[in-house]
Amino acid sequence: MDAFFASIELLRYPQLKGLPVVIGGGRRRVDDALLQAQDERALRFIPVDDFPRLKDYVGRGVITTATYAARQFGVGSAMGMMKAAKLCPDAIVLPVDFDEVRKYSRAFKEAIREVAPLVEDRGIDEVYIDFTDVPGGQRDGGRSLARLLQRSILEKTGLTCSIGVAPNKLIAKMASEFNKPNGISIVQETDLQSMIWPLACRKINGIGPKSDAKLAALNIHTIGEMAAQEIGWLIDHFGQATGAWMHDAAWGRDTRPVVTESEPVSMSRETTFERDLHAVRDKAELGAVFTRLCEKVAEDLQRKGYVGKTIGIKLRYDNFQSVTREQTLTHYTADATTIRQTAGLALKRVPLTQKLRLLGVRVGALLKAEDATLPASTGQVAEEPAQPFMDQLF
DNA sequence: TCTGGGGTCCTAGGACCC
DNA sequence: TCTGGGGTCCTAGGACCC
């Protein structure tokens, strides 16, 4: 989806169309009283001058989305608000409305599934779609179906998206970036050399800042340069798995299927404090936040019908260094008190002399609640008496 | 006054088992 | 100058993605 969070806000406030708008930050900077006094239809009449600006922003937020007008100024997702304010002080700032975003996320995915049922979720604003067996999916290299999807999504949500069509997920993802916003891009196998090889290695989904820097240090900047390396050379520098994967990726090879169903592995809640907290001096405040996080994770688990048995904490010190501690229970749980107690033990194993900026709680090793053995029967499977090792040998 | 929140996957070492 | 070779599970950190 194109500038998803921002585009959703523009539906509400069409008077902001064409202006630099950024979405993000924890605190709501729009004048709540003003907005709540209006009904939905009246929102479009709020004067542009009444919206809050980046230069007035206070806090530790980052930008989740910037409109294309804002991107002109060099601001973009993951950038700190304070830094963005220096680049574009007059950009309008709006908070993320998660309920609204989830609503539109469901809506656009539903619109797609009505046309093409094989859809893989890739987060809130992105999917992979297997066109292969959809009627008309092969027509015009896939362009007809892509157009149909764009039309259907626009009708049902008022939002635009960009689509890349290719023989596999790796290339389709890259192709989807070629023609933004509201674009379609078709990449065939034979286009590898002309369309993919000139691109920076960083454009490969899976090559992040670290790998990119390492490649650059080896004087490899484009995907074509990567493809020109011997696979053995890549393995020597990046390890067996990564090296072989890089070589495949550079040659456009990817056999991963579109996966329509998956189970969650973990659920977590974390929060960055408005100011750094000290474990001793701010003990009460920290304790309250900690308990609240545990309650929220427990709620999430229960609402979604999962239990877990690995309880972990994460904290980030004022110097931005993070540590994690976790502990696996003998039984599965979704209980706030159990999570709080176990997480408390984990927290005790971590040095707390430095100030903290973030605290998080995580529950992993998840299982569908209905699949978890009842506590009474846990581990009650009759076991064979263990055979001595030598007995097995002879 | 730098740097959110919610995820997945990988690696590597150690414990433990047969 | 001895001390194998699988496996699995747990833990901590880190890269990466949306």
Side-chain angles (χ1 to χ4, degrees):
Chain A
M1 300 301 289
D2 299 322
F4 192 47
F5 294 12
S7 304
I8 289 169
E9 294 303 326
L10 290 186
L11 293 176
R12 218 189 301 211
Y13 308 116
Q15 65 271 49
L16 303 183
K17 248 178 239 169
L19 298 175
V21 177
V22 301
I23 311 294
R27 269 177 291 168
R28 175 166 274 267
R29 304 297 301 172
V30 187
D31 186 343
D32 281 333
L34 173 69
L35 291 186
Q36 281 163 15
Q38 317 281 334
D39 70 32
E40 275 292 311
R41 282 161 314 177
L43 293 179
R44 65 182 60 236
F45 300 117
I46 298 173
V48 169
D49 285 347
D50 289 358
F51 284 85
R53 308 288 163 151
L54 254 183
K55 62 185 170 207
D56 303 318
Y57 185 87
V58 184
R60 302 184 128 167
V62 299
I63 291 172
T64 60
T65 323
T67 59
Y68 288 87
R71 293 180 201 187
Q72 305 286 96
F73 292 85
V75 315
S77 22
M79 182 181 286
M81 288 285 190
M82 292 304 156
K83 188 175 171 192
K86 283 174 189 147
L87 293 168
C88 190
D90 290 313
I92 287 159
V93 199
L94 295 170
V96 182
D97 182 342
F98 281 105
D99 289 339
E100 196 74 352
V101 168
R102 271 190 292 268
K103 194 179 94 184
Y104 279 98
S105 180
R106 275 193 298 271
F108 96 79
K109 288 172 186 174
E110 200 180 296
I112 294 169
R113 285 197 182 91
E114 280 175 17
V115 176
L118 292 185
V119 173
E120 174 175 336
D121 239 293
R122 293 295 297 185
I124 202 131
D125 71 337
E126 215 174 83
V127 294
Y128 286 114
I129 312 163
D130 191 337
F131 274 23
T132 313
D133 297 320
V134 177
Q138 305 302 319
R139 197 180 309 139
D140 203 10
R143 192 177 298 274
S144 306
L145 186 54
R147 281 213 192 92
L148 176 63
L149 286 168
Q150 282 184 323
R151 199 159 52 231
S152 167
I153 290 169
L154 182 64
E155 264 169 30
K156 291 189 169 117
T157 66
L159 299 169
T160 67
C161 64
S162 298
I163 300 179
V165 188
N168 60 50
K169 297 205 288 191
L170 177 85
I171 307 295
K173 169 70 177 163
M174 283 190 267
S176 72
E177 310 277 331
F178 289 174
N179 229 341
K180 280 184 163 193
N182 199 19
I184 294 170
S185 175
I186 316 277
V187 176
Q188 323 255 21
E189 253 158 295
T190 49
D191 299 324
L192 184 73
Q193 201 175 337
S194 63
M195 297 178 79
I196 303 297
W197 281 0
L199 301 177
C201 301
R202 186 73 174 76
K203 297 287 178 189
I204 293 175
N205 192 248
I207 306 269
K210 298 287 180 177
S211 304
D212 192 51
K214 196 168 162 187
L215 283 162
L218 294 163
N219 208 25
I220 294 180
H221 301 94
T222 68
I223 299 175
E225 287 165 1
M226 227 164 105
Q229 302 307 313
E230 295 282 351
I231 184 168
W233 185 89
L234 286 165
I235 287 172
D236 285 347
H237 285 89
F238 294 90
Q240 176 62 51
T242 307
W245 169 77
M246 279 179 166
H247 193 258
D248 275 345
W251 282 89
R253 292 191 281 260
D254 175 19
T255 57
R256 294 171 301 162
V258 169
V259 177
T260 56
E261 310 264 352
S262 69
E263 287 295 329
V265 174
S266 70
M267 291 186 199
S268 66
R269 288 284 187 149
E270 65 184 52
T271 188
T272 295
F273 313 125
E274 290 186 10
R275 59 177 181 90
D276 296 339
L277 297 182
H278 192 276
V280 178
R281 265 174 281 136
D282 303 303
K283 193 173 197 312
E285 193 174 348
L286 214 46
V289 171
F290 192 27
T291 301
R292 191 71 207 116
L293 289 169
C294 294
E295 288 167 355
K296 280 191 188 158
V297 178
E299 272 173 43
D300 293 342
L301 287 164
Q302 289 165 27
R303 179 165 31 83
K304 295 175 181 165
Y306 287 89
V307 289
K309 67 174 174 138
T310 303
I311 315 291
I313 56 123
K314 162 176 159 183
L315 45 87
R316 181 129 71 202
Y317 296 108
D318 53 4
N319 65 358
F320 217 71
Q321 224 192 335
S322 317
V323 296
T324 62
R325 292 292 179 272
E326 64 176 41
Q327 189 172 328
T328 299
L329 300 170
T330 53
H331 60 283
Y332 287 89
T333 188
D335 173 59
T337 309
T338 308
I339 294 169
R340 176 63 176 81
Q341 203 192 343
T342 313
L345 293 175
L347 191 58
K348 284 205 176 113
R349 293 192 285 128
V350 122
L352 290 173
T353 46
Q354 217 178 144
K355 279 189 166 184
L356 305 175
R357 65 175 283 140
L358 171 147
L359 181 62
V361 175
R362 173 182 177 277
V363 176
L366 300 186
L367 203 58
K368 272 274 186 201
E370 68 250 34
D371 293 342
T373 40
L374 295 168
S377 67
T378 301
Q380 293 307 299
V381 181
E383 281 179 41
E384 301 274 320
Q387 293 293 320
F389 184 37
M390 294 307 273
D391 282 9
Q392 290 184 352
L393 273 182
F394 300 106

mmCIF file of all heavy atoms in Angstrom, chain A residues 125 173 206 210-211 324 326 328 349, chain C residues 4 10-13 15-18:
data_model
loop_
_atom_site.group_PDB
_atom_site.id
_atom_site.type_symbol
_atom_site.label_atom_id
_atom_site.label_comp_id
_atom_site.label_asym_id
_atom_site.label_seq_id
_atom_site.Cartn_x
_atom_site.Cartn_y
_atom_site.Cartn_z
ATOM 1 N N ASP A 125 0.674 -3.716 5.819
ATOM 2 C CA ASP A 125 0.403 -3.000 4.562
ATOM 3 C C ASP A 125 0.979 -3.696 3.334
ATOM 4 O O ASP A 125 1.155 -3.067 2.302
ATOM 5 C CB ASP A 125 0.953 -1.570 4.639
ATOM 6 C CG ASP A 125 2.474 -1.537 4.597
ATOM 7 O OD1 ASP A 125 3.101 -2.547 4.942
ATOM 8 O OD2 ASP A 125 3.028 -0.490 4.211
ATOM 9 N N LYS A 173 8.986 -8.444 -5.038
ATOM 10 C CA LYS A 173 9.163 -7.419 -4.007
ATOM 11 C C LYS A 173 9.979 -6.243 -4.550
ATOM 12 O O LYS A 173 9.637 -5.082 -4.328
ATOM 13 C CB LYS A 173 9.840 -8.057 -2.792
ATOM 14 C CG LYS A 173 10.341 -7.098 -1.742
ATOM 15 C CD LYS A 173 9.223 -6.429 -0.978
ATOM 16 C CE LYS A 173 9.783 -5.522 0.115
ATOM 17 N NZ LYS A 173 8.776 -4.564 0.591
ATOM 18 N N GLY A 206 16.282 -8.528 2.594
ATOM 19 C CA GLY A 206 17.126 -9.429 3.384
ATOM 20 C C GLY A 206 18.545 -8.900 3.517
ATOM 21 O O GLY A 206 19.287 -9.315 4.396
ATOM 22 N N LYS A 210 23.801 -3.643 7.688
ATOM 23 C CA LYS A 210 25.057 -4.306 8.072
ATOM 24 C C LYS A 210 25.666 -5.064 6.888
ATOM 25 O O LYS A 210 26.848 -4.910 6.582
ATOM 26 C CB LYS A 210 24.812 -5.279 9.237
ATOM 27 C CG LYS A 210 24.310 -4.620 10.488
ATOM 28 C CD LYS A 210 25.410 -3.836 11.182
ATOM 29 C CE LYS A 210 24.861 -3.179 12.439
ATOM 30 N NZ LYS A 210 25.899 -2.457 13.186
ATOM 31 N N SER A 211 24.848 -5.896 6.268
ATOM 32 C CA SER A 211 25.348 -6.672 5.132
ATOM 33 C C SER A 211 25.771 -5.750 3.995
ATOM 34 O O SER A 211 26.761 -6.004 3.310
ATOM 35 C CB SER A 211 24.274 -7.635 4.617
ATOM 36 O OG SER A 211 23.832 -8.465 5.657
ATOM 37 N N THR A 324 18.535 -8.919 26.688
ATOM 38 C CA THR A 324 17.342 -9.734 26.873
ATOM 39 C C THR A 324 17.658 -10.854 27.848
ATOM 40 O O THR A 324 18.813 -11.296 27.956
ATOM 41 C CB THR A 324 16.872 -10.362 25.542
ATOM 42 O OG1 THR A 324 17.913 -11.227 25.038
ATOM 43 C CG2 THR A 324 16.545 -9.308 24.513
ATOM 44 N N GLU A 326 15.546 -14.552 29.248
ATOM 45 C CA GLU A 326 14.317 -15.317 29.144
ATOM 46 C C GLU A 326 14.436 -16.608 29.915
ATOM 47 O O GLU A 326 15.539 -17.050 30.250
ATOM 48 C CB GLU A 326 13.966 -15.583 27.676
ATOM 49 C CG GLU A 326 14.983 -16.449 26.950
ATOM 50 C CD GLU A 326 14.547 -16.756 25.521
ATOM 51 O OE1 GLU A 326 14.029 -15.846 24.863
ATOM 52 O OE2 GLU A 326 14.712 -17.906 25.083
ATOM 53 N N THR A 328 12.318 -20.508 30.425
ATOM 54 C CA THR A 328 11.262 -21.387 29.950
ATOM 55 C C THR A 328 10.614 -22.118 31.115
ATOM 56 O O THR A 328 11.298 -22.726 31.942
ATOM 57 C CB THR A 328 11.834 -22.390 28.932
ATOM 58 O OG1 THR A 328 12.365 -21.652 27.831
ATOM 59 C CG2 THR A 328 10.760 -23.331 28.425
ATOM 60 N N ARG A 349 18.164 -10.784 36.773
ATOM 61 C CA ARG A 349 19.450 -11.326 36.287
ATOM 62 C C ARG A 349 20.210 -10.314 35.437
ATOM 63 O O ARG A 349 21.183 -10.667 34.777
ATOM 64 C CB ARG A 349 19.189 -12.603 35.488
ATOM 65 C CG ARG A 349 18.656 -13.741 36.357
ATOM 66 C CD ARG A 349 18.692 -15.060 35.625
ATOM 67 N NE ARG A 349 17.643 -15.183 34.615
ATOM 68 C CZ ARG A 349 17.865 -15.523 33.352
ATOM 69 N NH1 ARG A 349 19.089 -15.753 32.935
ATOM 70 N NH2 ARG A 349 16.861 -15.629 32.512
ATOM 71 P P DG C 4 36.542 -37.383 21.844
ATOM 72 O OP1 DG C 4 37.707 -36.962 21.050
ATOM 73 O OP2 DG C 4 35.591 -36.398 22.353
ATOM 74 O "O5'" DG C 4 35.738 -38.479 21.032
ATOM 75 C "C5'" DG C 4 36.407 -39.447 20.213
ATOM 76 C "C4'" DG C 4 35.420 -39.935 19.180
ATOM 77 O "O4'" DG C 4 34.328 -40.599 19.841
ATOM 78 C "C3'" DG C 4 34.782 -38.797 18.379
ATOM 79 O "O3'" DG C 4 34.573 -39.249 17.050
ATOM 80 C "C2'" DG C 4 33.488 -38.513 19.113
ATOM 81 C "C1'" DG C 4 33.122 -39.886 19.658
ATOM 82 N N9 DG C 4 32.455 -39.847 20.950
ATOM 83 C C8 DG C 4 32.919 -39.295 22.118
ATOM 84 N N7 DG C 4 32.090 -39.441 23.120
ATOM 85 C C5 DG C 4 31.015 -40.140 22.577
ATOM 86 C C6 DG C 4 29.823 -40.597 23.169
ATOM 87 O O6 DG C 4 29.469 -40.454 24.343
ATOM 88 N N1 DG C 4 28.998 -41.244 22.244
ATOM 89 C C2 DG C 4 29.306 -41.444 20.936
ATOM 90 N N2 DG C 4 28.393 -42.087 20.220
ATOM 91 N N3 DG C 4 30.428 -41.035 20.358
ATOM 92 C C4 DG C 4 31.225 -40.394 21.236
ATOM 93 P P DC C 10 13.079 -26.010 25.589
ATOM 94 O OP1 DC C 10 12.079 -26.218 26.652
ATOM 95 O OP2 DC C 10 12.676 -25.453 24.282
ATOM 96 O "O5'" DC C 10 14.253 -25.093 26.155
ATOM 97 C "C5'" DC C 10 15.011 -25.540 27.271
ATOM 98 C "C4'" DC C 10 16.158 -24.581 27.488
ATOM 99 O "O4'" DC C 10 17.133 -24.764 26.436
ATOM 100 C "C3'" DC C 10 15.731 -23.114 27.433
ATOM 101 O "O3'" DC C 10 16.142 -22.485 28.630
ATOM 102 C "C2'" DC C 10 16.449 -22.548 26.211
ATOM 103 C "C1'" DC C 10 17.619 -23.502 26.034
ATOM 104 N N1 DC C 10 18.107 -23.642 24.637
ATOM 105 C C2 DC C 10 19.444 -23.350 24.362
ATOM 106 O O2 DC C 10 20.180 -22.964 25.275
ATOM 107 N N3 DC C 10 19.898 -23.486 23.094
ATOM 108 C C4 DC C 10 19.067 -23.905 22.131
ATOM 109 N N4 DC C 10 19.564 -24.033 20.894
ATOM 110 C C5 DC C 10 17.703 -24.212 22.392
ATOM 111 C C6 DC C 10 17.265 -24.070 23.653
ATOM 112 P P DT C 11 15.641 -21.049 28.969
ATOM 113 O OP1 DT C 11 15.576 -20.972 30.434
ATOM 114 O OP2 DT C 11 14.465 -20.741 28.140
ATOM 115 O "O5'" DT C 11 16.843 -20.141 28.459
ATOM 116 C "C5'" DT C 11 18.127 -20.296 29.027
ATOM 117 C "C4'" DT C 11 19.113 -19.437 28.299
ATOM 118 O "O4'" DT C 11 19.339 -19.965 26.975
ATOM 119 C "C3'" DT C 11 18.664 -17.982 28.108
ATOM 120 O "O3'" DT C 11 19.589 -17.144 28.773
ATOM 121 C "C2'" DT C 11 18.698 -17.756 26.597
ATOM 122 C "C1'" DT C 11 19.578 -18.892 26.099
ATOM 123 N N1 DT C 11 19.279 -19.396 24.732
ATOM 124 C C2 DT C 11 20.288 -19.454 23.813
ATOM 125 O O2 DT C 11 21.426 -19.085 24.058
ATOM 126 N N3 DT C 11 19.934 -19.951 22.591
ATOM 127 C C4 DT C 11 18.681 -20.396 22.208
ATOM 128 O O4 DT C 11 18.480 -20.818 21.080
ATOM 129 C C5 DT C 11 17.668 -20.300 23.222
ATOM 130 C C7 DT C 11 16.266 -20.756 22.903
ATOM 131 C C6 DT C 11 17.993 -19.813 24.426
ATOM 132 P P DA C 12 19.337 -15.620 28.874
ATOM 133 O OP1 DA C 12 19.913 -15.163 30.141
ATOM 134 O OP2 DA C 12 17.933 -15.339 28.537
ATOM 135 O "O5'" DA C 12 20.230 -15.057 27.685
ATOM 136 C "C5'" DA C 12 21.645 -15.130 27.778
ATOM 137 C "C4'" DA C 12 22.249 -14.379 26.623
ATOM 138 O "O4'" DA C 12 22.011 -15.124 25.410
ATOM 139 C "C3'" DA C 12 21.650 -12.985 26.411
ATOM 140 O "O3'" DA C 12 22.724 -12.058 26.336
ATOM 141 C "C2'" DA C 12 20.854 -13.090 25.106
ATOM 142 C "C1'" DA C 12 21.507 -14.280 24.401
ATOM 143 N N9 DA C 12 20.585 -15.077 23.596
ATOM 144 C C8 DA C 12 19.304 -15.440 23.908
ATOM 145 N N7 DA C 12 18.726 -16.178 22.987
ATOM 146 C C5 DA C 12 19.691 -16.308 22.002
ATOM 147 C C6 DA C 12 19.710 -16.972 20.757
ATOM 148 N N6 DA C 12 18.675 -17.645 20.271
ATOM 149 N N1 DA C 12 20.846 -16.908 20.028
ATOM 150 C C2 DA C 12 21.887 -16.228 20.516
ATOM 151 N N3 DA C 12 21.993 -15.562 21.671
ATOM 152 C C4 DA C 12 20.848 -15.641 22.368
ATOM 153 P P DG C 13 22.465 -10.541 26.024
ATOM 154 O OP1 DG C 13 23.520 -9.819 26.751
ATOM 155 O OP2 DG C 13 21.040 -10.214 26.210
ATOM 156 O "O5'" DG C 13 22.804 -10.468 24.480
ATOM 157 C "C5'" DG C 13 24.002 -11.057 24.002
ATOM 158 C "C4'" DG C 13 24.015 -10.986 22.501
ATOM 159 O "O4'" DG C 13 23.093 -11.965 21.968
ATOM 160 C "C3'" DG C 13 23.567 -9.621 21.943
ATOM 161 O "O3'" DG C 13 24.567 -9.161 21.057
ATOM 162 C "C2'" DG C 13 22.256 -9.916 21.242
ATOM 163 C "C1'" DG C 13 22.407 -11.394 20.887
ATOM 164 N N9 DG C 13 21.148 -12.110 20.721
ATOM 165 C C8 DG C 13 20.079 -12.133 21.574
ATOM 166 N N7 DG C 13 19.088 -12.884 21.137
ATOM 167 C C5 DG C 13 19.543 -13.380 19.922
ATOM 168 C C6 DG C 13 18.912 -14.238 18.982
ATOM 169 O O6 DG C 13 17.789 -14.747 19.050
ATOM 170 N N1 DG C 13 19.728 -14.484 17.886
ATOM 171 C C2 DG C 13 20.989 -13.972 17.720
ATOM 172 N N2 DG C 13 21.632 -14.317 16.598
ATOM 173 N N3 DG C 13 21.588 -13.170 18.581
ATOM 174 C C4 DG C 13 20.805 -12.910 19.653
ATOM 175 P P DA C 15 23.937 -6.615 14.181
ATOM 176 O OP1 DA C 15 25.363 -6.371 13.975
ATOM 177 O OP2 DA C 15 23.048 -5.593 14.776
ATOM 178 O "O5'" DA C 15 23.290 -7.045 12.791
ATOM 179 C "C5'" DA C 15 23.599 -8.325 12.241
ATOM 180 C "C4'" DA C 15 22.486 -8.693 11.297
ATOM 181 O "O4'" DA C 15 21.395 -9.272 12.057
ATOM 182 C "C3'" DA C 15 21.906 -7.498 10.534
ATOM 183 O "O3'" DA C 15 21.900 -7.781 9.144
ATOM 184 C "C2'" DA C 15 20.516 -7.308 11.121
ATOM 185 C "C1'" DA C 15 20.172 -8.701 11.638
ATOM 186 N N9 DA C 15 19.270 -8.671 12.794
ATOM 187 C C8 DA C 15 19.440 -7.970 13.951
ATOM 188 N N7 DA C 15 18.457 -8.140 14.813
ATOM 189 C C5 DA C 15 17.602 -9.024 14.186
ATOM 190 C C6 DA C 15 16.384 -9.601 14.575
ATOM 191 N N6 DA C 15 15.786 -9.350 15.747
ATOM 192 N N1 DA C 15 15.777 -10.439 13.695
ATOM 193 C C2 DA C 15 16.368 -10.679 12.518
ATOM 194 N N3 DA C 15 17.527 -10.192 12.033
ATOM 195 C C4 DA C 15 18.093 -9.365 12.925
ATOM 196 P P DC C 16 21.554 -6.664 8.086
ATOM 197 O OP1 DC C 16 22.168 -7.078 6.814
ATOM 198 O OP2 DC C 16 21.802 -5.329 8.655
ATOM 199 O "O5'" DC C 16 19.975 -6.830 7.941
ATOM 200 C "C5'" DC C 16 19.451 -8.105 7.601
ATOM 201 C "C4'" DC C 16 17.958 -8.089 7.783
ATOM 202 O "O4'" DC C 16 17.642 -8.135 9.178
ATOM 203 C "C3'" DC C 16 17.277 -6.831 7.258
ATOM 204 O "O3'" DC C 16 16.673 -7.120 6.011
ATOM 205 C "C2'" DC C 16 16.250 -6.478 8.334
ATOM 206 C "C1'" DC C 16 16.339 -7.634 9.311
ATOM 207 N N1 DC C 16 16.110 -7.246 10.722
ATOM 208 C C2 DC C 16 15.010 -7.775 11.393
ATOM 209 O O2 DC C 16 14.284 -8.581 10.799
ATOM 210 N N3 DC C 16 14.792 -7.407 12.675
ATOM 211 C C4 DC C 16 15.604 -6.535 13.274
ATOM 212 N N4 DC C 16 15.323 -6.203 14.538
ATOM 213 C C5 DC C 16 16.737 -5.985 12.603
ATOM 214 C C6 DC C 16 16.947 -6.361 11.331
ATOM 215 P P DC C 17 15.922 -5.988 5.190
ATOM 216 O OP1 DC C 17 16.013 -6.376 3.772
ATOM 217 O OP2 DC C 17 16.347 -4.659 5.637
ATOM 218 O "O5'" DC C 17 14.416 -6.202 5.681
ATOM 219 C "C5'" DC C 17 13.853 -7.505 5.633
ATOM 220 C "C4'" DC C 17 12.428 -7.437 6.120
ATOM 221 O "O4'" DC C 17 12.429 -7.435 7.572
ATOM 222 C "C3'" DC C 17 11.727 -6.167 5.674
ATOM 223 O "O3'" DC C 17 10.523 -6.457 4.991
ATOM 224 C "C2'" DC C 17 11.427 -5.428 6.967
ATOM 225 C "C1'" DC C 17 11.476 -6.497 8.034
ATOM 226 N N1 DC C 17 11.937 -5.928 9.309
ATOM 227 C C2 DC C 17 11.094 -5.995 10.410
ATOM 228 O O2 DC C 17 10.001 -6.570 10.304
ATOM 229 N N3 DC C 17 11.497 -5.440 11.579
ATOM 230 C C4 DC C 17 12.683 -4.822 11.653
ATOM 231 N N4 DC C 17 13.026 -4.292 12.811
ATOM 232 C C5 DC C 17 13.561 -4.755 10.534
ATOM 233 C C6 DC C 17 13.157 -5.314 9.376
ATOM 234 P P DC C 18 9.787 -5.255 4.232
ATOM 235 O OP1 DC C 18 9.240 -5.823 3.003
ATOM 236 O OP2 DC C 18 10.614 -4.039 4.197
ATOM 237 O "O5'" DC C 18 8.577 -4.949 5.224
ATOM 238 C "C5'" DC C 18 7.586 -5.954 5.472
ATOM 239 C "C4'" DC C 18 6.576 -5.370 6.414
ATOM 240 O "O4'" DC C 18 7.217 -5.100 7.685
ATOM 241 C "C3'" DC C 18 6.006 -4.035 5.930
ATOM 242 O "O3'" DC C 18 4.605 -4.059 6.096
ATOM 243 C "C2'" DC C 18 6.665 -3.001 6.836
ATOM 244 C "C1'" DC C 18 6.926 -3.798 8.111
ATOM 245 N N1 DC C 18 8.083 -3.298 8.894
ATOM 246 C C2 DC C 18 7.913 -3.088 10.281
ATOM 247 O O2 DC C 18 6.816 -3.327 10.769
ATOM 248 N N3 DC C 18 8.965 -2.642 11.006
ATOM 249 C C4 DC C 18 10.135 -2.419 10.420
ATOM 250 N N4 DC C 18 11.136 -1.973 11.175
ATOM 251 C C5 DC C 18 10.336 -2.627 9.023
ATOM 252 C C6 DC C 18 9.295 -3.064 8.306
#
